Amino acid sequence: MTDPNHPNDNGDFISDARHELAGMLQDGLDHPSTKPVLAWGAAGAVAGLVLPFVSIPLGLAVGAGYQFYKRVRP
């Protein structure tokens, strides 16, 4: 059965992630995944600033990567 929230979900993570990223790049901030991914990236950057041994770029990448993964695979 197809999920109405993810109509292009065919079970292949790489294909789904590529499709989601292409949509985010094409639609910009109008895409429903862009704002949550950016918000989690910012939260990760703040965590990287606060936590020792974690840099801001690493926190940004981890936060954005986690939310992107959760958007592709809820």
Side-chain angles (χ1 to χ4, degrees):
M1 181 173 177
T2 343
D3 184 4
N5 295 327
H6 300 283
N8 298 316
D9 183 10
N10 61 6
D12 179 28
F13 177 75
I14 300 297
S15 174
D16 293 342
R18 202 170 100 209
H19 178 52
E20 187 75 12
L21 184 60
M24 288 172 65
L25 291 172
Q26 184 177 20
D27 295 341
L29 289 175
D30 292 333
H31 195 275
S33 293
T34 304
K35 289 178 185 174
V37 168
L38 291 176
W40 275 77
V46 169
L49 180 68
V50 174
L51 295 173
F53 305 112
V54 179
S55 66
I56 294 172
L58 178 63
L60 178 103
V62 168
Y66 173 76
Q67 184 60 27
F68 182 75
Y69 176 77
K70 294 305 287 179
R71 295 294 294 189
V72 174
R73 291 286 177 255

